[in-house]
Amino acid sequence: MEKAAFEGWLESVSATYLTLNDQQRNQSLDHLISLSGAAQLRHLSNGLETLLKRDFLRLLPLELTFYLLRWLDPQTLLTCCLVCKQWNKVINSCTEVWQGVCRKLGWRIDESIQDASHWKGVYLKAKLRMMQLKDQEAFETSSLIGHSARVYALYYKDGLLCTVFSVDYNDELDVLVSGSADFSVKVWALSAGACLNTLTGHTEWVTKVILQRSEVESVVHSPGDYILLSADKYEIKVWPLGREINCKCLKTLSVSEDRSISLQPRLQFDGRYIVCSSDLGVYQWDFASFEILRVIKMQDPANLSLLSFGKVFALLFDNRFLYVMDLRTEAITGRWPLPAYRKSKRGSSFLAGVTSWLNGLDGGNDSGLVFATSMPDHSIHLVLWKENG
């Protein structure tokens, strides 16, 4: 066919081809391929490889490449690292991608570290730790033996485990506060050992006291004010506490006005939020407004108790297991078997250890004591983090 005639024919066929639907186009291509010889099929193979197998990581600007990589799940990212050296180099240089996957696992991110390879390593370590939690391999147990009689209460602060009952203290104020079975809260001078004040108003045993600075403002307190929280079976009382020791109750919190719902002796306060477990589940109050922000309902709240509550994880336990809950999904991400221990009604015979990891794991805070409880044989059973291999 002459060149001019061929170009006219090709233009006519192309115009007709563009009017076809997708199925008709596919049938046309299949027919043309069936009529082609070796030279045409070789030409088609080379052309398709150029069109369909483009290396977008090489061709796109880095900004667009990093944007696309953010949409990939971590396992796919790791697989892509194995494609070639160039892909591995590009993926390992995207700090935001690896920081993002670490953040999704509940890992705390230090924005000052912009080394992508560091965060890739953190992710691999984080993934291993989360798998250990899921497979009941994250913790190990130990025992403290030496008491000749029953251990009624445990207290842990700043790495020290002691056998005392419902106290908290502040060195700056030179004050120690204690809760008692006589329904009162006492304020003591640490240096002198003298009782400064007795706070009354509770009608049940005071099973928990917390002394903490407020980090928010409301109509009854300001940021920086020292606040004392005390809890009994039904109520949480909020007291101001500063250099002036005499004080009146600012607020009383409860989950039922008719006292039909009991609070468990697991109270927590970080200056912004008050958290306490109950017969219905875990309640979280906003300290600025004293409004209930959140109620985490659990399958068996009467037996499942709160140990500690963070920004990312919560630590809970019942008669058989220690549980780690992801607060973003309220799903249990790991558990650890517990021996037959003595669970006191006051909640003084068991406690959480180091709790900074509940605000997000960072690769360094998953160590030390996780949980401790007294045992019928007078020993203290410990649950500790295993070294993350």
Side-chain angles (χ1 to χ4, degrees):
M1 182 180 294
E2 296 292 332
K3 180 179 180 181
F6 171 73
E7 290 178 351
W9 172 83
L10 183 61
E11 184 177 348
S12 175
V13 170
S14 299
T16 303
Y17 180 79
L18 292 175
T19 64
L20 304 178
N21 58 36
D22 288 338
Q23 183 178 0
Q24 291 170 336
R25 291 184 183 186
N26 292 341
Q27 290 178 350
S28 300
L29 290 174
D30 289 340
H31 184 67
L32 288 174
I33 291 173
S34 68
L35 298 176
S36 300
Q40 290 76 47
L41 292 176
R42 190 180 305 110
H43 174 77
L44 182 62
S45 176
N46 293 336
L48 286 175
E49 185 171 4
T50 303
L51 289 172
L52 301 180
K53 297 182 180 180
R54 291 181 178 178
D55 188 345
F56 71 93
L57 288 185
R58 292 176 179 269
L59 298 175
L60 290 176
L62 275 179
E63 292 81 359
L64 288 178
T65 299
F66 290 165
Y67 175 78
L68 292 175
L69 290 175
R70 290 181 197 144
W71 294 92
L72 300 181
D73 63 89
Q75 188 56 50
T76 303
L77 282 172
L78 293 174
T79 302
C80 289
C81 289
L82 302 176
V83 171
C84 63
K85 290 182 178 180
Q86 177 65 21
W87 279 41
N88 185 57
K89 180 180 179 181
V90 171
I91 295 172
N92 284 344
S93 65
C94 186
T95 301
E96 291 184 6
V97 168
W98 293 110
Q99 284 182 338
V101 296
C102 289
R103 191 177 287 110
K104 289 179 181 178
L105 282 180
W107 232 247
R108 286 196 289 187
I109 303 301
D110 183 351
E111 299 291 350
S112 65
I113 302 176
Q114 292 296 310
D115 181 5
S117 61
H118 165 82
W119 291 113
K120 180 184 176 183
V122 169
Y123 167 75
L124 294 173
K125 187 176 182 179
K127 185 67 175 177
L128 174 61
R129 182 56 97 191
M130 299 307 293
M131 289 298 297
Q132 289 173 341
L133 282 172
K134 181 180 178 182
D135 297 337
Q136 299 185 28
E137 296 177 353
F139 304 135
E140 59 187 2
T141 60
S142 182
S143 296
L144 300 178
I145 301 173
H147 289 283
S148 58
R150 178 180 173 183
V151 176
Y152 282 88
L154 299 175
Y155 181 72
Y156 181 84
K157 189 167 185 177
D158 299 330
L160 179 64
L161 180 64
C162 310
T163 55
V164 299
F165 180 71
S166 190
V167 301
D168 202 357
Y169 64 90
N170 181 270
D171 290 323
E172 181 181 348
L173 293 177
D174 189 34
V175 160
L176 181 143
V177 293
S178 61
S180 173
D182 65 3
F183 310 160
S184 71
V185 178
K186 290 188 179 294
V187 182
W188 308 81
L190 270 176
S191 57
C195 181
L196 300 174
N197 199 5
T198 299
L199 308 178
T200 60
H202 285 282
T203 57
E204 299 282 343
W205 288 6
V206 180
T207 55
K208 186 68 175 179
V209 291
I210 296 177
L211 184 57
Q212 172 71 36
R213 279 185 185 271
S214 170
E215 296 185 7
V216 294
E217 185 172 5
S218 78
V219 294
V220 292
H221 56 76
S222 301
D225 289 350
Y226 278 101
I227 300 295
L228 168 62
L229 264 63
S230 57
D232 61 30
K233 186 177 180 180
Y234 298 108
E235 296 178 337
I236 301 169
K237 291 188 177 294
V238 182
W239 314 81
L241 195 64
R243 299 291 179 183
E244 297 294 331
I245 296 301
N246 293 320
C247 57
K248 295 182 179 180
C249 180
L250 296 175
K251 187 74 175 179
T252 299
L253 304 175
S254 64
V255 294
S256 62
E257 295 183 0
D258 60 357
R259 297 196 168 194
S260 60
I261 303 174
S262 298
L263 295 174
Q264 297 175 359
R266 310 310 303 166
L267 177 67
Q268 188 171 322
F269 175 51
D270 64 359
R272 291 180 175 273
Y273 306 104
I274 300 171
V275 179
C276 191
S277 56
S278 73
D279 290 345
L280 285 183
V282 178
Y283 281 75
Q284 183 181 33
W285 287 268
D286 176 30
F287 190 58
S289 64
F290 298 113
E291 296 291 331
I292 295 176
L293 294 179
R294 185 179 190 182
V295 180
I296 300 176
K297 298 292 182 67
M298 295 175 288
Q299 291 183 348
D300 190 11
N303 293 316
L304 192 62
S305 300
L306 173 71
L307 268 171
S308 194
F309 193 94
K311 296 177 181 178
V312 180
F313 302 107
L315 195 61
L316 308 112
F317 72 117
D318 59 18
N319 293 325
R320 298 185 302 144
F321 291 98
L322 183 68
Y323 300 94
V324 177
M325 174 185 282
D326 189 327
L327 292 173
R328 298 165 299 180
T329 61
E330 298 184 8
I332 299 298
T333 60
R335 68 178 188 175
W336 182 258
L338 296 175
Y341 63 95
R342 180 181 282 116
K343 190 174 180 181
S344 71
K345 293 182 179 180
R346 297 185 303 274
S348 58
S349 63
F350 48 84
L351 50 74
V354 178
T355 57
S356 60
W357 64 275
L358 296 174
N359 292 323
L361 291 158
D362 61 11
N365 57 8
D366 52 343
S367 62
L369 182 66
V370 178
F371 172 76
T373 183
S374 62
M375 300 295 293
D377 64 359
H378 316 318
S379 67
I380 300 173
H381 180 79
L382 306 178
V383 177
L384 307 158
W385 282 103
K386 280 184 181 178
E387 185 177 352
N388 192 345

